[in-house]
Amino acid sequence: MATAKRKVAGSQFKIGTTASNMASDTYTQIEGAKQVGGTLGGSYNVVDTTDLEDTIKQETKTLLDAGTVDLEMHEVVGDAGQDAVKAAFDDTADVPFNFEVAYPSGDKRRFKAHVVSYEPMVGNAAAIRMIRVRLSLTNMAAYVAAA
């Protein structure tokens, strides 16, 4: 039996504050979001723990890397969400910001991240001004089911 596919079109990418509780934070839509690269999952660093007497390689999981997300957006001058992303990049405090991806189905994914790069892109004469930012996640994204 075929299952319904979940569409990404109509989704919203949002930024919150540095509040410790992601669920109670207030989020602002980042207008012009065009493409999101990376994943909202993680991967472990692995250390080789093989001893001389082992006949099969042994490994141990160590630190979990929550990954990075690259967001490309059309530049929208005066947009509160884009201004908040730039302010998060300029912020020198070592406190991550809350982010939310809200899908058209009503479910969401929330995560904390540092904005580690902010890059306006020039392009060519036929291009539209874009901005690319990189988010370095500090936790695993939390799934929130539609109400």
Side-chain angles (χ1 to χ4, degrees):
M1 178 165 124
T3 58
K5 307 299 185 252
R6 294 185 168 185
K7 295 180 182 179
V8 174
S11 297
Q12 296 179 343
F13 205 97
K14 301 178 180 184
I15 185 170
T17 67
T18 58
S20 59
N21 186 342
M22 292 186 298
S24 62
D25 201 358
T26 301
Y27 292 89
T28 302
Q29 181 178 351
I30 302 167
E31 294 288 339
K34 176 180 171 57
Q35 181 169 322
V36 179
T39 62
L40 298 177
S43 62
Y44 281 97
N45 289 322
V46 184
V47 174
D48 184 342
T49 55
T50 309
D51 294 331
L52 288 174
E53 67 268 11
D54 291 326
T55 58
I56 297 176
K57 183 177 182 178
Q58 302 297 307
E59 295 181 324
T60 300
K61 294 190 298 185
T62 59
L63 295 175
L64 178 62
D65 182 350
T68 59
V69 169
D70 293 317
L71 172 64
E72 287 188 13
M73 53 192 161
H74 296 112
E75 183 178 34
V76 181
V77 176
D79 174 63
Q82 289 192 10
D83 291 346
V85 170
K86 179 65 165 83
F89 173 72
D90 291 338
D91 189 348
T92 57
D94 195 27
V95 180
F97 282 75
N98 297 323
F99 289 87
E100 177 181 271
V101 179
Y103 299 105
S105 57
D107 51 338
K108 302 171 183 169
R109 293 201 187 271
R110 293 186 182 129
F111 58 92
K112 292 180 173 289
H114 293 287
V115 180
V116 296
S117 71
Y118 181 92
E119 303 169 326
M121 299 161 36
V122 177
N124 60 41
I128 294 176
R129 289 172 25 180
M130 302 286 293
I131 299 170
R132 179 175 44 225
V133 297
R134 173 164 282 178
L135 309 176
S136 180
L137 281 67
T138 62
N139 72 318
M140 295 298 292
Y143 175 76
V144 181

